[in-house]
């Protein structure tokens, strides 16, 4: 996938911007507050209908206006063209329109244009709450699989309904239907997450080897503490049906605790993912620069995974990617970006092109001048 042109109106600090891209390596430069990250946010909005920063649609509207519009012309790997427009008005909400589907929902948009983002906020993958790491896994899988997106929706619905009944101290008979549904979708989500982790870690090891980065190599550990400390994903059954039966038996022992605490004490919302290196959590064992390298490696692996699974080239958004790195590792990342741009379109931001040893290899777009 490749963005040919991008239009932004009344979005963040930008009232009117239009870009035409004829390059696979685009560097946005400018001082703090120039709106470099906002351009990446706008591209991400076209992929998943929201910012990669913790912001509401209302937060994204430029000061003094009552809505925003972001639109792009995109060419598919096969050569066909696609147009996506996301509009938001404070009075009527969000509307998503694509030339392929017409008006669509946010859920239908996800996966149409695969997108991978690396921003400073993603350091929370190492240091933040477990929900940050679950969201990382879910975002990748949701872009690859409509069935996984549907399973997440089923899980949210079943969990909400079951917790409502538990809070009301409903009878066992009332809970049975939602318990059965929740067990079914829990098995589905867990099975897919485990398959993902096995595949992703294999790709991650290859990425680390190919990059030849100095520093620590990350992997992802998948833990299910709500099933008991003795239960590890590598002990899972050979078939999905067998696993679902085992899971149902284990959950049956937890159900009385749900009654005591008036909420569901099991399920995918309690899964734990940990990024480790040399057996230690990256959050506590790696420096700021090492964490940045680990993030880049993860995001490069994410792009590779998406490309393999959906057979469409993702777009990479790298925000302030060179910060916290020494000169040597800046050059390693620059060479990697140059190499990967042969297959993916890459947008990156930096205060200036001075961070690059080969600025002539990039299409440089200054902002705020």
């Amino acid at each position: 996938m490749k963005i040919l042109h991008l239009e932004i109106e009344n979005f963040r600090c930008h009232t009117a911007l239009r870009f035409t891209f004829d390059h696979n390596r685009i560097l946005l430069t400018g001082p703090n507050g120039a709106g470099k990250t906002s351009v990446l946010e706008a591209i991400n909005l076209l992929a998943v209908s929201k910012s990669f920063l913790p912001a509401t649609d209302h937060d994204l509207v430029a000061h003094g206006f009552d809505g925003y519009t972001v639109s792009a012309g995109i060419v598919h790997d096969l050569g066909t063209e696609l147009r996506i427009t996301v509009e938001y008005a404070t009075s009527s909400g969000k509307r998503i329109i694509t030339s392929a589907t017409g008006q669509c929902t946010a859920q239908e948009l996800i996966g149409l244009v695969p997108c991978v983002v690396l921003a400073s906020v993603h350091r929370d993958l190492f240091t933040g709450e477990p929900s940050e790491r679950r969201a990382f896994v879910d975002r990748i899988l949701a872009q690859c699989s409509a069935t996984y997106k549907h399973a997440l929706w089923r899980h949210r619905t079943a969990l909400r309904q079951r917790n409502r009944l538990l809070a009301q101290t409903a009878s066992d008979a009332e809970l049975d239907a939602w318990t059965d549904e929740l067990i079914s979708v829990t098995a589905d989500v867990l099975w897919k997450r485990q398959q993902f982790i096995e595949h992703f870690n294999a790709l991650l090891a290859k990425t680390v080897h190919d990059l030849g980065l100095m520093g620590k190599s990350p992997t992802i550990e998948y833990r299910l503490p709500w099933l008991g400390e003795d239960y590890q994903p590598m002990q899972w059954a050979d078939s999905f049906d067998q696993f679902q039966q085992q899971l149902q038996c284990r959950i049956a022992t937890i159900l009385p605790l749900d009654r005591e605490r008036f909420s569901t004490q099991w399920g995918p919302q309690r899964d734990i993912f940990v990024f480790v290196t040399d057996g230690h959590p990256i959050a506590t064992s790696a420096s700021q620069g090492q964490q940045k390298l680990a993030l880049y490696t993860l995001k490069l692996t994410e792009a590779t995974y998406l490309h393999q699974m959906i057979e469409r080239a993702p777009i990479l958004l790298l925000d302030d990617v060179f910060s916290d790195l020494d000169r040597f590792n800046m050059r390693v990342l620059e060479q990697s970006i140059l190499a990967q741009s042969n297959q993916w379109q890459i947008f990156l931001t930096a205060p200036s092109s001075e961070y690059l040893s080969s600025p002539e290899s990039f299409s440089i777009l200054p902002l705020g001048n």
Side-chain angles (χ1 to χ4, degrees):
M1 310 293 283
K2 181 177 179 180
I3 299 177
L4 300 177
H5 51 82
L6 174 70
E7 297 91 35
I8 300 172
E9 295 181 8
N10 308 330
F11 185 87
R12 291 290 198 184
C13 63
H14 303 298
T15 54
L17 276 182
R18 178 180 173 85
F19 297 106
T20 298
F21 306 115
D22 56 2
H23 207 291
N24 261 20
R25 300 180 293 272
I26 298 98
L27 172 65
L28 299 164
T29 64
N32 292 340
K36 304 183 298 293
T37 301
S38 299
V39 175
L40 302 192
E41 282 185 283
I43 295 172
N44 189 75
L45 190 79
L46 296 168
V48 295
S49 84
K50 61 182 181 180
S51 169
F52 51 78
L53 298 177
T56 67
D57 282 303
H58 183 74
D59 296 330
L60 301 177
V61 178
H63 181 69
F65 294 89
D66 59 2
Y68 66 72
T69 301
V70 176
S71 186
I74 301 165
V75 64
H76 194 279
D77 294 3
L78 300 177
T80 57
E81 292 191 12
L82 170 70
R83 185 164 188 85
I84 301 176
T85 301
V86 179
E87 303 172 338
Y88 172 77
T90 54
S91 58
S92 56
K94 183 183 290 179
R95 189 168 71 133
I96 304 169
I97 305 167
T98 81
S99 58
T101 62
Q103 189 163 338
C104 68
T105 65
Q107 187 175 10
E108 291 167 337
L109 177 67
I110 295 173
L112 194 60
V113 179
C115 185
V116 175
V117 185
L118 170 56
S120 58
V121 69
H122 291 128
R123 207 180 292 274
D124 286 347
L125 284 175
F126 301 145
T127 61
E129 296 297 319
S131 58
E132 298 284 347
R133 292 174 283 282
R134 288 193 292 268
F136 170 77
V137 171
D138 287 343
R139 171 174 167 140
I140 298 173
L141 282 170
Q143 290 190 82
C144 296
S145 170
T147 59
Y148 189 79
K149 281 192 293 186
H150 183 62
L152 290 179
W153 175 83
R154 284 177 57 203
H155 173 259
R156 285 193 297 268
T157 301
L159 182 64
R160 181 174 61 250
Q161 294 294 339
R162 190 171 186 275
N163 282 342
R164 179 181 61 82
L165 292 172
L166 285 168
Q168 296 173 351
T169 62
S171 66
D172 288 339
E174 292 179 277
L175 280 172
D176 283 347
W178 286 113
T179 299
D180 291 344
E181 166 69 0
L182 195 56
I183 291 173
S184 173
V185 73
T186 291
D188 193 19
V189 171
L190 267 57
W191 188 261
K192 287 182 170 66
R193 284 179 175 177
Q194 172 61 14
Q195 290 179 319
F196 164 78
I197 291 298
E198 291 177 356
H199 187 176
F200 193 86
N201 276 337
L203 288 177
L204 193 54
K206 184 178 186 305
T207 301
V208 170
H209 177 269
D210 292 346
L211 282 174
L213 287 173
M214 294 178 64
K216 298 175 182 289
S217 303
T219 58
I220 308 177
E221 290 185 357
Y222 185 21
R223 303 172 184 173
L224 304 169
W226 54 271
L227 279 176
E229 294 299 327
D230 63 321
Y231 194 88
Q232 299 297 326
M234 68 281 294
Q235 299 171 341
W236 291 19
D238 295 331
S239 71
F240 174 76
D241 289 341
Q242 186 181 9
F243 167 66
Q244 188 170 17
Q245 292 173 4
Q246 292 178 0
L247 186 66
Q248 189 164 8
C249 291
R250 281 186 171 260
I251 289 175
T253 66
I254 307 173
L255 294 179
L257 191 60
D258 294 352
R259 283 293 198 183
E260 293 178 15
R261 300 187 179 179
F262 305 105
S263 66
T264 303
Q265 302 299 302
W266 48 274
Q269 77 282 3
R270 294 177 177 270
D271 288 1
I272 299 293
F273 297 95
V274 182
F275 295 98
V276 302
T277 180
D278 298 333
H280 302 286
I282 290 177
T284 56
S285 64
S287 68
Q288 294 292 305
Q290 288 171 332
Q291 288 186 25
K292 192 62 170 282
L293 290 174
L295 276 174
Y296 179 76
T297 307
L298 283 171
K299 292 299 180 174
L300 208 58
T301 305
E302 178 183 346
T304 302
Y305 181 88
L306 288 173
H307 202 167
Q308 286 187 3
M309 297 303 293
I310 62 179
E311 299 182 335
R312 292 199 300 277
I315 294 168
L316 271 65
L317 310 177
L318 307 177
D319 190 29
D320 201 19
V321 70
F322 297 114
S323 65
D324 299 323
L325 298 180
D326 58 31
R327 182 65 60 177
F328 175 83
N329 284 314
M330 283 184 187
R331 299 290 77 79
V332 170
L333 257 64
E334 181 180 350
Q335 291 305 309
S336 173
I337 290 168
L338 290 172
Q340 299 305 330
S341 66
N342 292 325
Q343 60 177 336
W344 305 323
Q345 190 179 37
I346 302 176
F347 294 81
L348 59 154
T349 69
S352 75
S353 60
E354 294 177 359
Y355 286 80
L356 302 173
S357 63
S358 304
E360 69 279 359
S361 300
F362 293 78
S363 175
I364 301 174
L365 300 176
L367 296 175
N369 293 336

